[in-house]
Amino acid sequence: MALSEFELIQNCFAEQAAASLRSDVRLGIGDDCAILSPRPNHDLLVSVDTLVAGVHFPESISPYQIARRSLAVNLSDLAAMGGEPAWFTLALTVPEANESWLREFSRGLFDIANQFGINLVGGDTTRGPLSITIQVQGYAPAGQALRRDGAQVGDLVYVTGSLGDAGAGLALALLGNIDEADYLVSRFLSPTARIASGLALRDISSAAIDISDGLLADLGHILERSQVGAVLQADAIPLSPQLRQAVGDEQGFELALSAGDDYELCFCVPPEKSDKLASIAEQTGVPLCQIGVITAEKGVSVLDENGLSMSLPLTGYQHF
Ligand code: ADP
Ligand code: MG
C-alpha cells in the first residue's frame, strides 16, 4: 500500500533528522514551526535557493545526487560568508510520492547534512514538477561574516581549488555521462561547499563570494559592490590536470572564466594578511591561489603571459 504523505515525511526525513539533533534545536520536525535557540553574540546568516529539474540539473541524475547537490550549493552560500552551518529547511515538490525515490533523496541529503553538522528542522512537501528549495541558516560571530562589499584597492584576489571542472562535468552529464567516478562529472554532481575555507578566512578576507555563475560574473559582483576593479593573470588561474587533459588549456581557461557550478570561493585579502594563507590551505587541504589584484580602475581585465590584455568571453550563466 502506498504510504501517506505524513508517513513518507516521517520515514524519509523526520527520523533521520531526529537522530542527530543539535543542542540549539529546541524542537525539530513535527510541529507547526521549528524552535531554535541561537547562540548569544552571533549573527544568523540565512539563504535560500531553488533547484528546478531540467534547469539547474539534468533530469537524468539520480535522487541521491540531486539531494547532495541541492544541499551543497546552499551550503556554499554560507561558506562564501564565513558561516558555520546550523539548520536547514526543505520545501520539496515531487511529481509523485515515490518511496524509493524519496529514500534515495533522503540518503543523499543526510550524507551531506551529517558531514557538515547541519540539521533539517522542517519543510513542506507538495506535488508538482520536481523542484527543491532549501533554506540554510548558519552562525558567524557578531559582525564578522564575510561580505561582497569590502574589497579595497591593492587587495589580492584569490580562489579556492580549481575552476572550470564543473562546467566540463555538466557538458559530460548532458551527454549522458553521470558516472561519479569521473572527476569532472563528480565536480558538477557533488560540489564541495568550502565551509572550512570560509571559516578560516573570516579574520583575513576583505570580501568573498562563491562561484556559481563563473569567475568573471561572480568576481564582478564583488567589484560592483565594492566599487573597485581587478586585473587578473591568465596563467595564474588554477585548472585541474583532469580539465587540461579533457579539453586542453584554451577551452579549460574559457570554462574557468565563464562556466558556473564550481562552487569554489573567490575572495580578496589585504597584502599584509596574505602570509596567513599558506597555513589555511594546509589546514583545510584546499589550495588557495592568487589570481590577481584589486584596482581603482573599474572592470576586469585579464593579462596574458606577456602582460597584454586578453579579449574575454562576456558573461557567466544568466538566469533570465
Ligand atoms: P503544516 O501543515 O503545519 O505546515 P505539514 O503537514 O506541512 O505542516 O508538515 C508537518 C511537519 O513536517 C512540519 O514540522 C514540517 O516542518 C515537516 N515537513 C514537511 N515536509 C517536510 C520535508 N520535505 N522535509 C522536512 N520536514 C518536512
Ligand atoms: Mg501548521
Side-chain angles (χ1 to χ4, degrees):
M1 196 188 72
L3 293 175
S4 70
E5 184 192 331
F6 176 79
E7 288 166 318
L8 278 176
I9 293 170
Q10 191 61 32
N11 291 354
C12 296
F13 299 113
E15 278 169 23
Q16 289 82 340
S20 59
L21 225 49
R22 297 166 53 100
S23 61
D24 52 12
V25 178
R26 202 182 294 282
L27 185 65
I29 291 174
D31 212 313
D32 290 312
C33 294
I35 307 178
L36 309 173
S37 337
R39 261 182 226 160
N41 306 319
H42 283 68
D43 290 333
L44 285 181
L45 313 187
V46 181
S47 174
V48 64
D49 260 313
T50 296
L51 286 88
V52 177
V55 178
H56 299 101
F57 56 87
E59 307 204 37
S60 55
I61 76 176
S62 72
Y64 174 78
Q65 292 163 331
I66 292 170
R68 288 172 59 95
R69 190 174 143 72
S70 302
L71 185 52
V73 306
N74 275 278
L75 285 165
S76 176
D77 285 321
L78 286 179
M81 300 197 64
E84 179 193 328
W87 318 293
F88 71 109
T89 54
L90 166 69
L92 183 61
T93 303
V94 285
E96 54 175 349
N98 176 327
E99 189 180 351
S100 63
W101 192 97
L102 284 168
R103 283 199 184 283
E104 276 304 285
F105 183 89
S106 164
R107 189 167 70 85
L109 194 73
F110 287 99
D111 242 28
I112 301 293
N114 294 336
Q115 185 182 330
F116 288 94
I118 190 168
N119 272 183
L120 178 63
V121 295
D124 193 23
T125 311
T126 52
R127 194 175 297 252
L130 178 61
S131 120
I132 299 106
T133 297
I134 290 179
Q135 190 213 46
V136 288
Q137 303 190 49
Y139 288 114
Q144 286 184 31
L146 298 171
R147 303 158 49 134
R148 297 178 180 182
D149 60 5
Q152 302 283 332
V153 175
D155 284 356
L156 310 178
V157 181
Y158 285 80
V159 291
T160 58
S162 59
L163 301 182
D165 296 332
L170 171 60
L172 292 169
L174 290 171
L175 291 171
N177 177 355
I178 48 170
D179 180 5
E180 288 256 13
D182 182 315
Y183 172 80
L184 297 174
V185 173
S186 79
R187 288 273 288 161
F188 169 74
L189 290 178
S190 301
T192 308
R194 297 303 189 191
I195 292 288
S197 307
L199 290 175
L201 289 168
R202 262 180 196 161
D203 300 333
I204 292 163
S205 174
S206 54
I209 192 166
D210 65 324
I211 304 177
S212 54
D213 296 339
L215 174 64
L216 290 181
D218 290 313
L219 173 59
H221 295 311
I222 289 185
L223 302 180
E224 199 178 312
R225 294 296 298 272
S226 301
Q227 293 292 303
V228 291
V231 176
L232 307 182
Q233 296 295 138
D235 53 11
I237 292 171
L239 307 183
S240 69
Q242 292 91 337
L243 181 67
R244 286 181 198 273
Q245 208 206 345
V247 303
D249 282 13
E250 196 174 326
Q251 209 194 332
F253 176 69
E254 264 175 42
L255 287 167
L257 290 187
S258 305
D261 295 313
D262 283 315
Y263 295 97
E264 297 292 351
L265 302 182
C266 174
F267 59 96
C268 302
V269 176
E272 67 273 14
K273 292 188 175 171
S274 63
D275 58 339
K276 308 239 165 58
L277 294 172
S279 68
I280 292 179
E282 196 178 333
Q283 162 212 325
T284 56
V286 179
L288 305 174
C289 192
Q290 195 207 329
I291 60 167
V293 60
I294 296 293
T295 58
E297 190 179 340
K298 303 275 168 67
V300 186
S301 52
V302 182
L303 305 183
D304 67 17
E305 65 272 27
N306 300 314
L308 298 173
S309 196
M310 303 171 72
S311 64
L312 297 177
L314 275 177
T315 52
Y317 182 79
Q318 298 279 333
H319 296 268
F320 295 98

